């Protein structure tokens, strides 16, 4: 973004409700400035009732690209002209790209977590991941890993009988049908099975909300003995910066990353889709703020 907004300044934005807490304007405006691009990124309130009108405004006003956060990632789907195949399989989109009035939906959430694992020196292709939770973020990670990164094996742990169990069953079946990844669904309450599956996995990802807000100080994995030494462990939570899960994993000698890296890389992919350029920032640039 230039020092002064002009009549030529391009616009990108985020749609959410609530949206005032969004991390995206800080990330993208800093990136536009560093890249020398004449763009500005702003936040707009939109929800299930208004997202259709908001997306029509993107066409009308020529807004180049948008981020979609809750509650719009599913509600947006009927309003796209095109949807990327991975986003279609996930059943949610977090990114809009506007090409002369044609809106295409993408989902970069899964890419964000997988790129963070690669930063930790872990190969996704052919390896095994234990995934805790298969809600919206979990489905994005699972499907992107299987479809786009050739994950070898996936052990999903979800609470049996919970509201997302049926969706988890469908997602696991879809992965087995559409990819070479061997996916299995297990009950999150079966700790003996969790220990067994973790013992042969190179990665563990938590996409549940256990560890934040009212559940801060709690962990789905009960103690450090579950973690094999050297495992790469990532938590989608970034506040607090070190959850109980990550603390236990560090105690066991694992590599760990919180949700800041995932958040950064999903935004970096959005930046690339909008501008055709690589993100000029690094995770370290955000950690210094």
């Amino acid at each position: 973004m230039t020092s002064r907004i002009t009549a030529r300044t391009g616009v990108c934005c985020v749609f959410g409700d609530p949206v005032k807490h969004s991390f995206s304007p800080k990330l993208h405006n800093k990136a536009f400035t560093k890249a020398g691009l004449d763009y500005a990124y702003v936040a707009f309130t939109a929800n299930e009732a208004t997202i259709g009108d908001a997306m029509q405004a993107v066409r009308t006003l020529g807004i180049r690209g948008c981020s979609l956060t809750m509650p719009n990632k599913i509600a947006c789907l009927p309003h796209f002209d095109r949807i990327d195949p991975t986003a279609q399989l996930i059943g949610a989109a977090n990114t809009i790209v506007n090409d002369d009035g044609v809106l295409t939906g993408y989902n970069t959430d899964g890419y964000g977590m997988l790129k963070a694992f690669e930063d930790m020196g872990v190969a996704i292709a052919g390896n095994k991941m234990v995934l805790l939770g298969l809600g919206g973020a979990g489905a994005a990670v699972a499907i992107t890993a299987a479809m786009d990164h050739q994950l070898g094996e996936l052990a999903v742990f979800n609470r049996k009988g919970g509201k997302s169990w049926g969706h988890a069953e469908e997602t696991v079946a879809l992965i087995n049908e559409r990819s070479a990844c061997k996916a299995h669904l297990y009950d999150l309450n079966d700790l003996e099975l969790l220990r067994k599956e973790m013992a042969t996995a190179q990665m563990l990802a938590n996409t549940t909300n256990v560890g934040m807000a009212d559940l801060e100080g709690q962990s789905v994995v009960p103690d450090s003995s579950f973690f094999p030494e050297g495992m790469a462990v990532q938590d989608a939570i970034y506040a607090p910066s070190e959850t109980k899960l990550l603390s236990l994993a560090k105690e066991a000698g694992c590599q760990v990353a919180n949700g800041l890296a995932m958040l950064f890389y999903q935004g970096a992919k959005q930046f690339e889709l909008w501008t055709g350029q690589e993100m000029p920032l690094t995770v370290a640039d955000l950690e210094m703020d």
Side-chain angles (χ1 to χ4, degrees):
M1 185 175 65
T2 57
S3 58
R4 292 183 61 187
I5 293 175
T6 73
R8 295 180 180 274
T9 302
V11 177
C12 293
C13 68
V14 57
F15 290 132
D17 189 7
V19 77
K20 290 182 179 180
H21 68 286
S22 176
F23 169 86
S24 295
K26 178 179 180 180
L27 170 65
H28 289 296
N29 282 317
K30 188 171 183 178
F32 290 146
T33 298
K34 187 163 185 179
L37 296 174
D38 188 10
Y39 273 90
Y41 187 104
V42 293
F44 294 119
T45 298
N47 54 38
E48 301 100 317
T50 59
I51 189 61
D53 290 338
M55 291 175 66
Q56 184 55 44
V58 171
R59 295 185 179 91
T60 302
L61 299 176
I63 294 172
R64 170 56 180 157
C66 312
S67 308
L68 296 162
T69 188
M70 297 299 291
N72 298 313
K73 293 186 180 185
I74 297 174
C76 66
L77 295 179
H79 306 289
F80 283 109
D81 301 300
R82 298 191 298 236
I83 301 179
D84 174 75
T86 300
Q88 185 80 63
L89 290 173
I90 293 167
N94 76 331
T95 307
I96 302 171
V97 177
N98 180 9
D99 293 304
D100 297 322
V102 176
L103 303 190
T104 304
Y106 296 87
N107 193 309
T108 68
D109 285 330
Y111 170 87
M113 180 166 271
L114 296 166
K115 183 67 171 68
F117 273 128
E118 290 175 348
D119 261 12
M120 298 165 78
V122 182
I124 309 299
N127 273 327
K128 177 179 177 179
M129 178 191 295
V130 171
L131 178 62
L132 307 177
L134 200 66
V141 171
I143 290 174
T144 305
M147 304 295 183
D148 298 341
H149 290 74
Q150 293 75 52
L151 182 69
E153 186 176 352
L154 177 67
V156 176
F157 284 83
N158 217 53
R159 296 203 186 279
K160 193 169 187 178
K163 62 181 181 179
S164 63
W165 183 260
H167 177 253
E169 288 182 312
E170 293 173 2
T171 302
V172 167
L174 179 68
I175 289 171
N176 285 321
E177 177 186 339
R178 301 286 186 92
S179 77
C181 179
K182 297 177 181 178
H184 308 275
L185 177 61
Y186 304 114
D187 184 4
L188 192 56
N189 293 314
D190 191 337
L191 295 180
E192 183 177 340
L193 193 52
L194 177 61
R195 184 189 293 274
K196 179 182 176 183
E197 292 299 316
M198 286 177 62
T200 57
Q202 290 74 42
M203 295 161 280
L204 181 138
N206 176 48
T207 61
T208 75
N209 64 346
V210 178
M212 66 180 290
D214 293 343
L215 300 176
E216 186 171 342
Q218 299 182 37
S219 171
V220 172
V221 181
D223 64 68
S224 60
S225 68
F226 279 66
F227 296 93
E229 186 176 358
M231 172 185 260
V233 179
Q234 196 172 164
D235 201 325
I237 296 168
Y238 59 90
S241 60
E242 184 173 295
T243 59
K244 180 67 178 295
L245 177 83
L246 295 184
S247 177
L248 292 172
K250 283 175 67 175
E251 185 181 324
C254 298
Q255 301 182 74
V256 302
N258 65 24
L260 184 63
M262 175 184 178
L263 194 64
F264 171 79
Y265 283 118
Q266 63 83 24
K269 187 65 173 178
Q270 292 178 328
F271 183 91
E272 181 182 323
L273 289 168
W274 298 330
T275 69
Q277 297 186 22
E278 290 187 7
M279 166 63 76
L281 306 177
T282 67
V283 178
D285 289 319
L286 302 183
E287 291 173 343
M288 290 188 295
D289 288 343

